[in-house]
Amino acid sequence: MAKDKLAIRRSRYTLQGYEHALESIRRDGRQHGPIPRAAPHQAFLEALALERIGEWKPACWRPDILGFGIAWIDPSPTGITLGVPTRYLPDIASTLMPTSSAAELVDPIDGESAQIYGLPGLRFRLDGSTVILHIPGMAGRIEIPLASPGLWEKALLIAQASFDDTTVFFWDLLPDTWHPLERACAASWPERYVIGGIHYQASRLASGVLRRLPGICRPFSAHDMWFNFGRDLGYEIEFEWQDSGPPRDVLDLLLHHKDGLNVRIDSQGMPLNHFYSENCTYVRLLGDTGGCLDLRRLRHSPETREALKRYRAARGRDRVAERRLELERKYNYPSSETFLGP
């Protein structure tokens, strides 16, 4: 197939511009198709990152916010680039950075490993105007291009100021290697963090979701995502959106015979046309390599939607948003003010 057709198919999922997608096809080679599969370690890193990104709670939230703060994605077999708008960089940083409390570093509760928030072991390095996220000892990388050099350091200052004074940032303590408490935390969850474990084996599903996330998010807004573990189906990704279209609006993307995920609908005796109907609010997709993806549509009644609109209008900006704007001014960071609306 001509490269231009592959670039169009790629753009449908990644939301890259056509020329950007075409350049990526040339880089990866046509044999990898429009959405290349990640190498095993890369898929594992992407699955671990997606688990955190799915929980992000941006300071400057609004009902029509960009899904998970990612405008476009450029996947390759051994890496992935996330197009993160400047206003979301501090949110992404605070979501991914591994942290703990000073008290737990001194005396973990009940002799257990310290609680690590963010992604244990994750570190960064700067390469010009690109920040590269990686885990020492694991192949794989996540790149985030920056609008200008120095922006990442400012985003980190804002992200760190969003935590309380007792928070410990492992990126600062050991910038090039794991902290012993991070290793202890990962070792206490072998099925979740150990290479070769159950979630490593099933991580290709989450990696496939991340590599298609902008296209999946495009029809909707105000997404929520969380991961469940330990059920009969193992690795389960819950994907939910509010007051938007039915799941059919993303099913064609996810089930596309060439470019979609390796999943199938768990019909549970229901006719297939039910999942493409206006009234469908739930679809479970079973992964061929393990795990499942649940699509949930949460519908508020018209009265509830109107009440929420009135509540948001009356409440105005909350203290979290005001604090973010204050920090942006303090560190001379591009302001989110114009994106907050009235």
Side-chain angles (χ1 to χ4, degrees):
M1 177 177 286
K3 292 188 181 71
D4 59 339
K5 292 183 179 179
L6 285 176
I8 292 171
R9 287 165 54 189
R10 185 184 185 99
S11 297
R12 186 185 184 199
Y13 288 89
T14 64
L15 298 193
Q16 293 172 270
Y18 171 76
E19 292 297 334
H20 187 185
L22 188 60
E23 181 180 330
S24 297
I25 293 293
R26 290 169 177 155
R27 175 199 65 203
D28 297 333
R30 284 180 291 179
Q31 71 273 17
H32 290 290
I35 312 294
R37 287 163 57 91
H41 282 31
Q42 176 67 31
F44 191 38
L45 175 61
E46 291 175 18
L48 293 172
L50 180 65
E51 181 181 349
R52 274 72 185 181
I53 292 172
E55 297 175 348
W56 83 308
K57 297 178 176 61
C60 295
W61 189 93
R62 54 181 296 162
D64 58 348
I65 196 169
L66 176 67
F68 305 109
I70 300 173
W72 54 266
I73 281 177
D74 184 7
S76 74
T78 56
I80 191 169
T81 303
L82 309 182
V84 179
T86 298
R87 62 187 179 278
Y88 297 131
L89 274 178
D91 298 301
I92 292 291
S94 64
T95 296
L96 292 175
M97 65 168 56
T99 66
S100 189
S101 67
E104 289 210 54
L105 261 64
V106 175
D107 185 21
I109 299 174
D110 298 329
E112 298 179 357
S113 60
Q115 177 67 50
I116 307 296
Y117 301 94
L119 181 48
L122 190 69
R123 297 295 185 267
F124 75 89
R125 66 178 184 272
L126 290 169
D127 183 3
S129 294
T130 300
V131 60
I132 300 172
L133 303 173
H134 64 101
I135 295 179
M138 181 191 298
R141 54 194 282 155
I142 297 172
E143 298 185 3
I144 302 177
L146 307 172
S148 61
L151 204 57
W152 180 248
E153 288 91 342
K154 293 181 180 181
L156 288 184
L157 290 172
I158 293 173
Q160 291 176 332
S162 303
F163 292 89
D164 62 40
D165 294 337
T166 66
T167 301
V168 174
F169 303 97
F170 293 108
W171 284 357
D172 293 339
L173 291 178
L174 293 173
D176 300 316
T177 188
W178 288 70
H179 189 281
L181 290 180
E182 290 179 289
R183 288 196 182 278
C185 178
S188 67
W189 296 86
E191 72 284 354
R192 189 172 182 178
Y193 292 111
V194 170
I195 291 177
I198 182 173
H199 301 307
Y200 177 88
Q201 298 172 33
S203 61
R204 191 166 297 283
L205 174 61
S207 169
V209 171
L210 179 59
R211 289 175 170 237
R212 294 161 176 80
L213 196 59
I216 299 171
C217 291
R218 189 174 191 175
F220 308 134
S221 62
H223 298 74
D224 290 311
M225 179 182 290
W226 58 96
F227 284 59
N228 291 315
F229 305 106
R231 299 186 180 183
D232 292 340
L233 292 173
Y235 195 87
E236 183 174 359
I237 305 172
E238 305 275 355
F239 189 81
E240 183 179 83
W241 58 92
Q242 297 180 7
D243 298 329
S244 52
R248 69 183 180 208
D249 292 335
V250 296
L251 279 180
D252 285 342
L253 285 172
L254 295 174
L255 298 174
H256 191 275
H257 66 288
K258 290 184 178 179
D259 305 332
L261 298 172
N262 289 323
V263 294
R264 64 188 186 280
I265 292 178
D266 181 10
S267 64
Q268 298 184 6
M270 299 288 290
L272 187 62
N273 59 8
H274 163 74
F275 301 103
Y276 285 87
S277 69
E278 177 67 27
N279 294 322
C280 180
T281 59
Y282 171 73
V283 181
R284 166 163 287 179
L285 302 173
L286 301 177
D288 292 347
T289 58
C292 67
L293 172 62
D294 286 348
L295 307 178
R296 299 180 182 274
R297 176 191 182 194
L298 178 62
R299 290 190 296 183
H300 289 132
S301 68
E303 294 78 15
T304 300
R305 286 199 296 271
E306 287 302 316
L308 286 171
K309 288 180 182 178
R310 291 193 298 270
Y311 170 72
R312 293 181 183 124
R315 183 185 60 178
R317 294 176 188 163
D318 58 24
R319 285 183 292 178
V320 175
E322 290 294 350
R323 173 64 172 161
R324 165 58 65 79
L325 295 175
E326 175 188 334
L327 291 170
E328 289 173 347
R329 290 189 292 269
K330 178 179 179 180
Y331 296 112
N332 192 30
Y333 193 82
S335 177
S336 300
E337 181 87 29
T338 58
F339 301 103
L340 293 181

